[in-house]
Amino acid sequence: MGLNWDTIKTCVIDMDGTILDLHFDHQVWHFELPRRLAKKNKINLYEANAKISNITESKRGTLEWYDLGYWKSELNIDLDEIEIALSSLIKVRRGAISFLKLLKEKSITMILATNAHPRGLERKLRKTDIGKFFDHVVSSHKFGVAKENLKFWQILKETYPFQNNTTFLLDDNLTVLETARKFGVHHIYGIEKPNSQGDRNSSDLFELLTDYSVLL
């Protein structure tokens, strides 16, 4: 496949599921959180998962969905504590570091753009040291709106000016890809298997990568 990198001036790259293995986040949200909720409220796992799913569906695509403080207020469970407890599961996806090193050598503005809460983002940056590859690191919480919202892209462009036709986006969230496409970003790619131990994504609209090397 490959890209003509001479035409790319800005790279906007996601973190969880794109550079980092989404397995960590899956374990936090789909296993440890419902387990602790069930124990705390003396309910079974089915009921705990149902409660979490109800909140998830009502907040999907919004900043609250990613807000550790919001979830703590809703469930009275400390998500920071869970993330710290499972931090050994934070891993960089295979080939990601080599990919970032090659991009860093080019004359490209590198932006890490994530919906991760600032506290979780900081923990992952400390653990993986991926921040050194980027000129700018942006949490959508700083902008007050999630990447699924067109306003995020408007604010990003105002803050770190870029041209749509010379911008490359890599993100595992298909809704984010669609929003960026509507905004006008030209070079858009997804990730086929964000969670190394999970299911594969599929899309009729976007090329989903199995290996970063196909871009180079």
Side-chain angles (χ1 to χ4, degrees):
M1 180 171 55
L3 276 177
N4 181 1
W5 287 99
D6 291 336
T7 67
I8 303 298
K9 303 302 180 186
T10 305
C11 282
V12 182
I13 301 179
D14 175 51
M15 183 174 67
D16 300 317
T18 301
I19 296 300
L20 303 186
D21 192 336
L22 200 63
H23 178 62
F24 164 77
D25 301 271
H26 190 267
Q27 292 297 114
V28 167
W29 293 94
H30 294 277
F31 288 91
E32 189 61 15
L33 176 59
R35 186 191 72 79
R36 293 195 184 198
L37 182 62
K39 182 178 180 180
K40 177 180 178 297
N41 291 357
K42 296 181 173 56
I43 57 178
N44 60 45
L45 276 174
Y46 176 84
E47 293 170 312
N49 276 305
K51 182 176 179 62
I52 294 168
S53 293
N54 287 338
I55 300 173
T56 297
E57 289 306 311
S58 68
K59 296 297 180 179
R60 188 176 299 278
T62 70
L63 207 58
E64 287 91 348
W65 200 98
Y66 304 96
D67 189 336
L68 300 181
Y70 170 79
W71 283 92
K72 183 175 182 179
S73 68
E74 287 292 306
L75 302 177
N76 195 25
I77 292 178
D78 191 338
L79 266 296
D80 288 280
E81 183 181 312
I82 294 177
E83 288 198 351
I84 292 169
L86 299 185
S87 62
S88 63
L89 299 178
I90 298 172
K91 307 288 184 184
V92 178
R93 298 183 73 244
R94 186 178 63 179
I97 296 300
S98 296
F99 176 63
L100 292 176
K101 283 181 178 178
L102 287 171
L103 293 187
K104 187 65 175 174
E105 294 172 357
K106 301 179 183 295
S107 298
I108 295 173
T109 299
M110 297 284 288
I111 302 174
L112 180 67
T114 176
N115 279 325
H117 189 276
R119 293 195 299 274
L121 170 60
E122 182 58 31
R123 281 191 287 271
K124 289 171 179 176
L125 292 179
R126 286 200 307 268
K127 178 75 184 290
T128 64
D129 200 29
I130 59 172
K132 66 185 179 183
F133 297 108
F134 295 91
D135 300 293
H136 310 290
V137 175
V138 177
S139 167
S140 58
H141 297 259
K142 178 181 178 181
F143 291 169
V145 63
K147 292 191 295 181
E148 290 88 332
N149 193 306
L150 279 170
K151 188 176 180 181
F152 171 88
W153 297 94
Q154 294 164 358
I155 299 173
L156 183 69
K157 191 169 187 176
E158 291 167 1
T159 307
Y160 307 111
F162 60 84
Q163 298 299 315
N164 288 351
N165 64 339
T166 60
T167 296
F168 163 85
L169 169 66
L170 182 62
D171 200 302
D172 70 301
N173 186 319
L174 298 180
T175 303
V176 170
L177 299 185
E178 177 60 23
T179 302
R181 185 189 68 81
K182 290 178 180 177
F183 186 72
V185 176
H186 281 209
H187 307 282
I188 299 177
Y189 296 88
I191 299 292
E192 185 178 75
K193 197 172 183 181
N195 177 354
S196 63
Q197 300 181 41
D199 297 330
R200 297 181 184 276
N201 284 335
S202 63
S203 173
D204 295 327
L205 294 175
F206 305 106
E207 186 77 29
L208 304 185
L209 307 183
T210 58
D211 190 323
Y212 305 102
S213 65
V214 299
L215 290 170
L216 301 170

